[in-house]
Each structure stands twice: as structure tokens, then as C-alpha cells.
Amino acid sequence: MRLTLMLILIISSNPSLAFNSYKLHPLPNEQINENAQVNYLYQNTSKGPFRVRIEGLVGHVENYAILKINCAADGGVQVRHNLVSNNNARLNNQQAFPPFNQVFSPKQTDALNNQKSFQLTHASINIGNLSIPASTISLAGFSETYQRVETLCSEQKIASKR
């Protein structure tokens, strides 16, 4: 716990160490809308090329996304946020975000799928060292991005078994 807090402080005070910042790609592989994008790389193997490092980025604020959707180890999909202080993020006026660096539960993910936005009740900082004012963050494109990442993860799982 203490080590985690020290790492968060070091990283948040030094943007060059912001490895978990969910920085938006200027030329995404797939642009879902102005608030959502999907990115991946191609890896060549003896079985042919397939997509790796699949990620959907949703909830854009300046050059960062608040939410990242990517493949889980089991081939499913997981959602994470990059708010250092998650206790001010509200979905339907309830605290709905898991602790930092934890995966959203299926119930929390369903709530994100069914809403148009979430609220920050006071200013927050993400790992990219960006101070985000208390505001409403759009979830436009979340459902479409989730479904697209889910499809790509499923294709990746099938391709890896060939």
C-alpha cells in the first residue's frame, strides 16, 4: 500500500513517467466518434498477422481518455479508469468507480453501458498529471467501443489457438 502511494505520487508529479495515462492516439486505428477510439498493433507470427495490444479509449479530456477497455487474460474484456482519486466519480449519483488500477465489475460496466455520462463532483487528477475540473464526462461511444473491443479480443483468442 505504501509503495503504491509512493509510485502514484512519483508518477503524477512527473509526466514523463506517466505510463498509465491513456494518452489518445492522433491517428487511431478506428475512430468510433469524437469521444471514443480503438487502437491496436499487428504482430506477425508463423500463423499470420493478428491484432495485439487492443485498447478502446473513452471519455476524452484534452489529450487523455478516462476509461480504457482492453482484453483480459481469459480473452474477455475489462474496463479500467485512470483517476488517482476515484471517490468523486459518480454514475447515477452513486460512487460507481472501483479503486485506482482495479477492473470495473460486470455490474459497474453495465452501468457505464447504460449511461450517457458520469460526473466528477470535485477536481481530480489522472496519471497523466492532468487536473480535471469538476465536470460531466461524456460516455458517448462507450457501448460501441466495448462491443468492438470485445469482438477484437474474441478474434485474438481464436487466432492464438490456431
Side-chain angles (χ1 to χ4, degrees):
M1 178 70 174
R2 185 177 280 172
L3 178 61
T4 303
L5 288 175
M6 286 186 349
L7 284 172
I8 288 172
L9 287 173
I10 290 168
I11 291 166
S12 64
S13 65
N14 187 343
S16 66
L17 295 175
F19 64 91
N20 194 22
S21 63
Y22 308 167
K23 187 145 177 68
L24 298 177
H25 296 258
L27 298 171
N29 294 97
E30 300 177 26
Q31 186 76 42
I32 304 297
N33 63 23
E34 68 283 344
N35 192 55
Q37 62 179 234
V38 176
N39 300 291
Y40 42 80
L41 298 174
Y42 282 98
Q43 181 175 6
N44 290 315
T45 68
S46 60
K47 298 174 185 177
F50 67 94
R51 294 178 184 101
V52 296
R53 296 189 58 195
I54 299 164
E55 66 178 14
L57 300 173
V58 180
H60 299 178
V61 177
E62 296 196 19
N63 293 320
Y64 296 94
I66 303 300
L67 301 172
K68 179 170 82 169
I69 307 164
N70 63 355
C71 301
D74 65 0
V77 178
Q78 61 187 12
V79 180
R80 294 180 188 267
H81 68 86
N82 68 348
L83 297 172
V84 175
S85 174
N86 66 305
N87 57 356
N88 69 334
R90 299 276 185 263
L91 194 60
N92 289 334
N93 293 322
Q94 298 176 7
Q95 183 179 355
F97 281 32
F100 174 72
N101 210 22
Q102 302 265 334
V103 176
F104 280 77
S105 70
K107 182 179 177 181
Q108 292 167 324
T109 302
D110 286 344
L112 291 170
N113 264 313
N114 294 316
Q115 295 300 313
K116 294 181 182 190
S117 62
F118 67 89
Q119 293 75 39
L120 295 177
T121 56
H122 55 274
S124 185
I125 295 175
N126 76 3
I127 291 295
N129 207 24
L130 175 67
S131 179
I132 303 166
S135 61
T136 299
I137 308 295
S138 174
L139 290 172
F142 181 87
S143 295
E144 296 87 348
T145 304
Y146 188 91
Q147 290 170 357
R148 182 62 180 142
V149 170
E150 189 172 47
T151 299
L152 293 170
C153 293
S154 177
E155 289 173 1
Q156 181 186 50
K157 185 176 180 181
I158 291 168
S160 67
K161 289 183 178 182
R162 283 191 235 156

